[in-house]
Amino acid sequence: MVADEPLSLVTLATAVGAPVAAVRQAIDGLVADFGGETGGPVRGFELREVGGGWRLYVRAEYDSLVTDFVSEQAPAKLSQAALETLAVIAYRQPITRGAIASIRAVNVDSVVRTLLSRGLITELFTDAETGAINYGTTDLLLQQLGINAIEELPLISPLLADGAEGFDGDVR
């Protein structure tokens, strides 16, 4: 459970202070038990011999379930650029990619694609005159921030030099 790599029979035998043959027999028993061969249930994990040693793995049929769970519990961290872009979108939505780039003064194409793929922002609508896509935040972002509505975001105007520079009115 705590090893980063497969452990050989000799390593396991040394760790538990038992003969290699006894450890081999115990592993064979665990493999059979985890696989439901001893009359018990088939477990969601299995013990496999790989790379010259033994390791616990999620059973193949449960791999996608575990992957989804782990992704939700420990989402990948966002880069500084992604966080800044996400903040611009959250506070100024609906907003176009061009407007985001203008505020940030950098190209935001790849960052917007990343935020879209992570489900933190969504395409709200396409402007009929310009064809520009307008972006906004998703419920997933609200969940990640622990808030119920975008209006619960703290005001940023107190953080600006004069309280309003570059923004119209009371900006959320």
Side-chain angles (χ1 to χ4, degrees):
M1 291 287 213
V2 296
D4 290 339
E5 54 193 46
L7 298 176
S8 70
L9 282 175
V10 172
T11 301
L12 291 169
T14 302
V16 297
V20 172
V23 171
R24 177 65 193 191
Q25 185 179 6
I27 286 178
D28 289 342
L30 288 172
V31 169
D33 181 47
F34 296 165
E37 299 168 21
T38 59
V42 175
R43 311 282 183 192
F45 52 89
E46 61 187 342
L47 192 55
R48 283 191 225 154
E49 187 173 16
V50 293
W54 290 88
R55 188 171 198 176
L56 285 171
Y57 284 89
V58 171
R59 199 166 290 282
E61 55 265 32
Y62 299 112
D63 189 55
S64 63
L65 178 69
V66 171
T67 299
D68 292 346
F69 179 78
V70 169
S71 296
E72 288 178 21
Q73 297 302 310
K77 295 185 188 247
L78 294 175
S79 67
Q80 186 67 32
L83 288 171
E84 291 171 6
T85 302
L86 186 56
V88 169
I89 295 168
Y91 281 96
R92 297 296 304 248
Q93 64 185 307
I95 188 168
T96 64
R97 196 179 298 221
I100 299 165
S102 176
I103 291 169
R104 291 211 50 239
V106 294
N107 184 323
V108 296
D109 292 347
S110 65
V111 175
V112 168
R113 279 193 300 275
T114 297
L115 295 172
L116 280 167
S117 70
R118 299 232 179 131
L120 298 172
I121 64 170
T122 188
E123 296 177 358
L124 296 176
F125 61 91
T126 302
D127 186 279
E129 291 182 25
T130 64
I133 297 170
N134 282 263
Y135 297 94
T137 56
T138 64
D139 288 341
L140 177 60
L141 176 66
L142 298 178
Q143 291 171 16
Q144 296 293 325
L145 294 176
I147 60 177
N148 293 313
I150 206 70
E151 292 76 25
E152 293 180 31
L153 285 173
L155 294 175
I156 60 169
S157 26
L159 302 175
L160 300 172
D162 71 355
E165 184 179 315
F167 292 94
D168 302 325
D170 233 5
V171 177
R172 286 211 160 277

